[in-house]
Amino acid sequence: AQSVTQLGSHVSVSEGALVLLRCNYSSSVPPYLFWYVQYPNQGLQLLLKYTTGATLVKGINGFEAEFKKSETSFHLTKPSAHMSDAAEYFCAVISFGNEKLTFGTGTRLTIIP
Amino acid sequence: DARVTQTPRHKVTEMGQEVTMRCQPILGHNTVFWYRQTMMQGLELLAYFRNRAPLDDSGMPKDRFSAEMPDATLATLKIQPSEPRDSAVYFCASGLPRGGANGYTFGSGTRLTVV
């Protein structure tokens, strides 16, 4: 069964610094990968999605993620953190032939002024 | 923007009572998921549907939970009888198979408190 592992349940970065949130997947076949963001008391919002093709995926709010098959990773980055980026971020996976959207445990991002 | 509508937003009920949560998926979306979110367990997949048919409900406690799609515009999640451990936020999400071009869209959730 496919799964994702998010390293670091809490990440703090200074405003203006690089944001790096880590996600590794386990799947026997090329997966579909997602990053979602959740603000307090809200539902989840899609940041970006990888299916096939270009391995660098650009999403909303200046975020991007790179699919690295050799490392089974799909890390989320943003060059310069903004206070409004403070939220919880979830990596998720669907494997080919399986429709289950499985989430990681989430990473809470705190931005230090 | 099209949105997934969940009702009620908040529900407080006594242990043993029946609870029904509703979800209106986005028109045209044929895949619907139900998730439960708690601090301890994170996001748990309870069930999901394709074209109103259940594909997998292995995440649901079968003795008390049931999920249905009476028609393409309504998905329901029922708990009977409810227990304090069911207290959580329940999310519905809809989309095209494998998320289509825009991923799955989540509703704002139903916050359930069972006392």
Side-chain angles (χ1 to χ4, degrees):
Chain A
Q2 75 280 10
S3 66
V4 288
T5 302
Q6 293 185 243
L7 298 177
S9 58
H10 291 86
V11 171
S12 296
V13 301
S14 297
E15 189 175 15
L18 171 72
V19 175
L20 171 60
L21 304 182
R22 300 178 187 274
C23 173
N24 288 87
Y25 67 90
S26 64
S27 175
S28 57
V29 295
Y32 288 32
L33 292 159
F34 305 77
W35 275 100
Y36 278 84
V37 61
Q38 185 179 30
Y39 298 100
N41 300 314
Q42 294 186 28
L44 282 75
Q45 180 183 4
L46 180 70
L47 281 175
L48 49 81
K49 172 187 177 185
Y50 170 79
T51 54
T52 58
T55 56
L56 183 62
V57 182
K58 295 188 183 297
I60 63 171
N61 302 340
F63 284 93
E64 62 183 34
E66 186 172 8
F67 172 69
K68 291 188 177 181
K69 185 177 179 180
S70 62
E71 299 178 6
T72 61
S73 68
F74 191 57
H75 302 331
L76 182 71
T77 60
K78 182 174 180 177
S80 177
H82 191 273
M83 295 300 294
S84 61
D85 295 327
E88 185 139 23
Y89 292 80
F90 293 91
C91 183
V93 64
I94 295 177
S95 286
F96 181 80
N98 185 326
E99 297 291 341
K100 286 187 179 182
L101 179 63
T102 303
F103 284 88
T105 52
T107 297
R108 183 170 300 278
L109 177 64
T110 300
I111 309 300
I112 303 167
Chain B
D1 287 343
R3 58 179 60 189
V4 175
T5 303
Q6 290 188 245
T7 56
R9 287 296 309 275
H10 301 273
K11 176 72 175 180
V12 179
T13 191
E14 292 185 345
M15 182 173 61
Q17 296 298 305
E18 177 177 304
V19 175
T20 299
M21 290 168 271
R22 294 177 173 81
C23 167
Q24 181 177 359
I26 290 173
L27 188 65
H29 285 182
N30 65 350
T31 305
V32 175
F33 294 85
W34 280 107
Y35 288 90
R36 175 171 63 183
Q37 186 177 36
T38 61
M39 289 292 292
M40 294 300 295
Q41 301 297 327
L43 279 161
E44 300 174 275
L45 177 62
L46 298 175
Y48 67 102
F49 295 78
R50 170 70 47 75
N51 298 323
R52 297 174 52 200
L55 290 188
D56 192 319
D57 61 1
S58 58
M60 283 199 317
K62 295 294 192 304
D63 56 339
R64 298 184 300 108
F65 284 59
S66 63
E68 296 179 340
M69 283 200 72
D71 60 61
T73 65
L74 178 64
T76 62
L77 181 65
K78 292 185 180 181
I79 308 174
Q80 169 61 26
S82 58
E83 298 181 1
R85 59 179 168 157
D86 301 328
S87 297
V89 181
Y90 291 80
F91 288 104
C92 173
S94 74
L96 296 174
R98 299 193 190 94
N102 299 313
Y104 295 101
T105 302
F106 279 72
S108 299
T110 294
R111 183 175 297 275
L112 174 65
T113 303
V114 183
V115 297

